[in-house]
């Protein structure tokens, strides 16, 4: 890994390759209050946030060698089934369709009526920039203007993650040996054990839907 400020200096001396880190967003369906728990448990609201993200635009904006991903399996891996994907440049129309469905299901008249959303991450300049770009994207594409970014030192941020003290949390997860590494790491008994994927059935239903090669 090389800091962005040194990239142009050493560009001709580097070899391209995939690191083992995949940036993911945790959306807290349990929540710290009933309103946010209900909001983030709604599949259409989650889909709206996901569809709106311009992954390519974020990578371009932070001027890094990162590779935008549109699926839960790192691009270094080839699989013999089609994992669910999203438009790497974002899809505002689709995102708005999802949001409209979510608002109707949840009983809100517009995005401005949604409860305050806490976006928690750890203190890092690059991380802060990425999170701010995400918030701007959701504001512009969906009119969601009540997202507040909270940045903490790594230890405090991780404590909040394990305590479920967030609505959205941005973190990197290692994924560099097998295509299933990233999701296995959050299954019960593994590295990020939040009890999200409690058993083999949950894991298979969440990710696999076929065999890998």
């Amino acid at each position: 890994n090389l800091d962005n400020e040194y990239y142009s200096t050493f560009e001709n001396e580097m070899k391209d390759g995939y690191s083992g880190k995949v940036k993911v967003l945790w959306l807290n369906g349990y929540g710290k209050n009933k309103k946010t728990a209900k909001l983030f448990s709604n599949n259409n609201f989650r889909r709206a946030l996901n569809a709106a993200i311009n992954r390519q635009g974020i990578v371009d904006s932070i001027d890094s060698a990162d590779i935008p991903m549109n699926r839960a399996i790192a691009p270094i891996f080839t699989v013999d089934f089609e994992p669910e994907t999203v438009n790497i440049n974002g899809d505002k129309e689709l995102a708005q369709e999802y949001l409209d469905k979510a608002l109707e299901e949840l009983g809100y008249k517009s995005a401005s009526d949604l409860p305050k959303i806490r976006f928690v991450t750890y203190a890092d300049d690059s991380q802060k920039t990425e999170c701010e770009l995400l918030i701007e994207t959701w504001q512009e594409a969906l009119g969601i203007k009540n997202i507040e970014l909270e940045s903490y030192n790594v230890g405090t941020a991780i404590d909040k993650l394990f305590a479920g003290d967030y609505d959205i949390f941005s973190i990197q997860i290692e994924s560099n040996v097998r295509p299933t590494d990233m999701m296995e790491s959050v299954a019960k008994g593994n590295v990020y054990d939040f009890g999200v994927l409690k058993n083999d059935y949950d894991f298979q239903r969440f990710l696999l839907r076929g065999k890998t090669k």
Side-chain angles (χ1 to χ4, degrees), residues 94-118:
L94 179 61
Q96 188 62 56
E97 288 179 15
Y98 283 137
L99 180 63
D100 290 342
K101 291 178 182 178
L103 294 175
E104 183 178 355
E105 291 166 353
L106 295 167
Y108 291 107
K109 293 182 178 179
S110 70
S112 60
D113 296 326
L114 295 175
K116 182 180 74 173
I117 295 171
R118 297 174 56 235

Side-chain angles (χ1 to χ4, degrees), residues 17-196:
Y18 293 101
S19 75
K21 295 179 180 178
V22 176
K23 183 69 63 64
V24 298
L25 296 176
W26 285 102
L27 305 180
N28 189 357
Y30 297 100
K32 297 300 288 185
N33 62 67
K34 291 182 179 180
K35 287 186 177 181
T36 57
K38 190 174 182 180
L39 179 64
F40 282 93
S41 293
N42 183 277
N43 282 335
N44 282 315
F45 182 71
R46 297 161 70 97
R47 290 181 178 128
L49 296 182
N50 190 36
I53 299 174
N54 183 346
R55 290 158 172 80
Q56 185 65 61
I58 290 176
V59 167
D60 293 342
S61 296
I62 59 178
D63 188 28
S64 77
D66 290 343
I67 298 173
M69 284 180 56
N70 65 344
R71 63 181 194 175
I73 301 173
I76 192 173
F77 297 112
T78 300
V79 294
D80 63 359
F81 65 97
E82 290 294 329
E84 184 175 350
T85 61
V86 293
N87 188 329
I88 212 160
N89 297 303
D91 189 330
K92 292 183 179 181
E93 291 185 5
L94 179 61
Q96 188 62 56
E97 288 179 15
Y98 283 137
L99 180 63
D100 290 342
K101 291 178 182 178
L103 294 175
E104 183 178 355
E105 291 166 353
L106 295 167
Y108 291 107
K109 293 182 178 179
S110 70
S112 60
D113 296 326
L114 295 175
K116 182 180 74 173
I117 295 171
R118 297 174 56 235
F119 191 166
V120 177
T121 189
Y122 49 89
D124 174 84
D125 289 342
S126 177
Q127 182 77 1
K128 183 172 183 289
T129 299
E130 288 181 26
C131 294
E132 288 173 342
L133 288 169
L134 284 168
I135 292 172
E136 289 176 11
T137 296
W138 291 325
Q139 288 177 342
E140 294 173 3
L142 300 171
I144 301 175
K145 300 180 179 180
N146 56 347
I147 304 177
E148 297 182 2
L149 183 61
E150 301 178 14
S151 191
Y152 302 93
N153 65 58
V154 174
T156 300
I158 295 301
D159 284 344
K160 288 185 174 293
L161 179 61
F162 277 93
D165 188 12
Y166 65 94
D167 295 313
I168 304 173
F169 194 100
S170 179
I171 192 172
Q172 297 181 124
I173 292 182
E174 298 289 339
S175 177
N176 59 349
V177 179
R178 297 171 299 164
T180 56
D181 279 353
M182 186 174 75
M183 301 319 303
E184 283 183 344
S185 70
V186 303
K188 192 167 181 63
N190 287 292
V191 180
Y192 298 100
D193 179 6
F194 310 128
V196 178

